[in-house]
């Protein structure tokens, strides 16, 4: 039995036939005649020294050898296709594919993109707003902005600003609840997108940091951070707002943070790309732009006393 790999065209023919379980459909997919596809598979079987398909009257079935080969062939072509796409992207300095969470995209990225487009009109920016951790090797993505703990092994990961939470509300509502203690009677908004944080950064923890023994149980509950923040801006209640989700609204006066106490989370946003691509022109431009945009609202932190959440004593 030969230990040499067979021709790639023969393996491609087998992979297509194994996926479709049809020589005719495989031939159509590869744009060859059924006779040509059958010849490629026959040459592969001769190379292996065993049949890969049982030829039936109107169908084909994989033999035991075919069943062993099929998943590896499929994975191999998927890996090869992903590597080829990655190599092609390296030659393209005008397109940038970015992925970020829906809330961060809605509250931080999207409202600022006109600035990037104005500064870099030659870059075609494409976004995928998803919580799925996309694979740089397989998905068409150049940059990710992720919130969490990491680790980001094998990737270039640049931590962005420290992330904190503090109560935010409309200016009108702030006149009704002037002190942390008065929040006991306020309509509170719960953001469950941060329930994974450990130690928790929730209302009970913030009240404890403020010196109050209070565990709220009633209020409005949201699974997405941007929805919770938008509800607070509309006057529906008081939300614990994360820095990235509220700085623009604080800057514009749509929200206020009347109490000078914030909790710093152990999780943070990171700018992530494949190691070695961080200085590609469009990636470097996007990274530098994000850092520049962040500095425009750094002053929001000036009035806050920021306490690491791990420094808050447990109950």
């Amino acid at each position: 039995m030969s230990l040499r790999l067979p021709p790639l065209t023969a393996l491609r023919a087998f992979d297509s036939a194994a996926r479709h379980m049809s020589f005719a459909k495989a031939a159509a997919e590869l744009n060859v005649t059924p006779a040509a596809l059958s010849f490629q598979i026959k040459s592969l079987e001769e190379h292996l020294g065993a049949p890969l398909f049982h030829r039936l009257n109107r169908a084909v079935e994989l033999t035991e050898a075919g069943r062993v080969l099929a998943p590896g062939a499929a994975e191999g072509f998927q890996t090869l296709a992903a590597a080829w796409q990655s190599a092609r992207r390296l030659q393209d300095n005008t397109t940038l594919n970015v992925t970020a969470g829906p809330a961060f995209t809605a509250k931080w990225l999207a409202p600022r993109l006109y600035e990037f487009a104005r500064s870099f009109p030659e870059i075609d920016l494409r976004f995928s707003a998803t919580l799925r951790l996309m694979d740089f090797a397989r998905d068409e993505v150049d940059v990710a902005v992720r919130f969490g703990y990491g680790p980001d092994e094998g990737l270039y990961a640049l931590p962005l600003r420290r992330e904190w939470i503090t109560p935010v509300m409309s200016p009108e509502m702030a006149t009704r609840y002037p002190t942390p203690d008065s929040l006991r009677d306020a309509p509170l908004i719960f953001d469950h997108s941060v329930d994974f944080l450990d130690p928790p950064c929730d209302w009970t923890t913030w009240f404890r940091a403020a010196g109050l023994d209070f565990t709220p149980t009633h209020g409005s509950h949201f699974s997405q951070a941007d929805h919770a923040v938008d509800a607070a801006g509309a006057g529906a209640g008081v939300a614990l707002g994360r820095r990235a989700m509220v700085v623009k609204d604080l800057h514009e006066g749509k929200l206020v943070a009347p109490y000078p106490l914030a909790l710093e989370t152990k999780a943070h946003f990171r700018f992530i790309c494949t190691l070695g691509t961080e200085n590609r022109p469009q990636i470097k431009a996007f990274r530098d732009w994000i850092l520049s945009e962040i500095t425009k609202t750094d002053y929001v932190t000036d009035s806050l006393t920021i306490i690491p959440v791990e420094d808050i004593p447990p109950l």
Side-chain angles (χ1 to χ4, degrees):
M1 182 183 298
S2 173
L3 297 180
R4 292 183 300 107
L5 284 176
L8 191 63
T9 52
L11 284 170
R12 188 56 157 161
F14 167 77
D15 172 62
S16 182
R19 282 187 286 106
H20 291 292
M21 279 296 128
S22 166
F23 283 13
K25 291 181 180 179
E29 178 182 83
L30 300 178
N31 197 28
V32 298
T33 65
L37 182 121
S38 182
F39 175 80
Q40 290 290 347
I41 292 176
K42 187 66 176 177
S43 68
L44 187 63
E45 292 174 325
E46 291 175 355
H47 191 96
L48 178 65
L52 294 167
F53 291 97
H54 294 299
R55 278 76 165 174
L56 307 177
N57 288 335
R58 294 191 175 183
V60 293
E61 289 182 354
L62 287 170
T63 64
E64 183 177 0
R67 288 194 297 272
V68 169
L69 180 60
E75 182 178 355
F77 280 110
Q78 289 169 5
T79 301
L80 182 60
W84 178 252
Q85 289 299 324
S86 296
R88 290 189 62 185
R89 286 205 306 273
L90 289 176
Q91 315 312 312
D92 179 6
N93 291 325
T94 62
T95 302
L96 185 64
N97 296 285
V98 179
T99 180
F104 183 80
T105 300
K107 299 302 293 183
W108 201 97
L109 278 175
R112 294 171 167 83
L113 283 182
Y114 72 93
E115 292 283 1
F116 184 85
R118 185 175 64 179
S119 300
F120 302 96
E122 73 281 6
I123 297 178
D124 182 15
L125 197 58
R126 303 176 183 180
F127 272 94
S128 176
T130 177
L131 293 176
R132 183 171 71 88
L133 296 183
M134 299 183 75
D135 188 335
F136 285 92
R138 294 182 178 274
D139 298 314
E140 289 196 16
V141 59
D142 301 302
V143 169
V145 180
R146 294 175 179 167
F147 179 70
Y149 300 105
D152 304 301
E153 296 179 359
L155 298 171
Y156 171 87
L158 175 68
L160 302 178
R161 289 296 188 273
R162 62 199 301 198
E163 193 71 358
W164 42 254
I165 63 165
T166 196
V168 295
M169 61 197 81
S170 66
E172 186 277 330
M173 186 161 285
T175 64
R176 294 161 52 191
Y177 303 101
T179 66
D181 189 63
S182 66
L183 288 181
R184 296 174 186 267
D185 301 318
L188 299 183
I189 295 172
F190 296 80
D191 171 17
H192 292 290
S193 71
V194 293
D195 284 353
F196 73 95
L197 293 177
D198 185 20
C201 286
D202 55 14
W203 274 114
T204 300
T205 307
W206 188 87
F207 277 118
R208 195 160 67 249
L212 300 170
D213 182 14
F214 179 57
T215 299
T217 57
H218 300 291
S220 301
H221 297 256
F222 293 89
S223 61
Q224 298 293 329
D226 54 325
H227 298 168
V229 171
D230 287 345
V238 183
L240 274 178
R242 280 192 284 140
R243 182 195 190 283
M245 304 298 161
V246 300
V247 287
K248 189 173 188 299
D249 288 341
L250 291 173
H251 173 69
E252 295 175 350
K254 297 177 182 177
L255 289 172
V256 295
Y259 320 123
L261 174 63
L263 297 182
E264 182 180 2
T265 71
K266 293 182 71 175
H268 53 273
F269 281 98
R270 294 101 63 215
F271 178 98
I272 300 171
C273 61
T274 302
L275 192 63
T277 67
E278 62 270 19
N279 288 319
R280 287 179 60 200
Q282 70 271 49
I283 292 179
K284 183 178 184 300
F286 191 64
R287 180 188 65 212
D288 293 347
W289 171 78
I290 284 182
L291 294 175
S292 175
E293 285 295 310
I294 289 174
T295 63
K296 294 180 181 179
T297 51
D298 273 349
Y299 76 91
V300 171
T301 305
D302 293 345
S303 61
L304 295 175
T305 298
I306 303 175
I307 303 174
V309 66
E310 59 266 31
D311 290 349
I312 306 302
L315 289 174

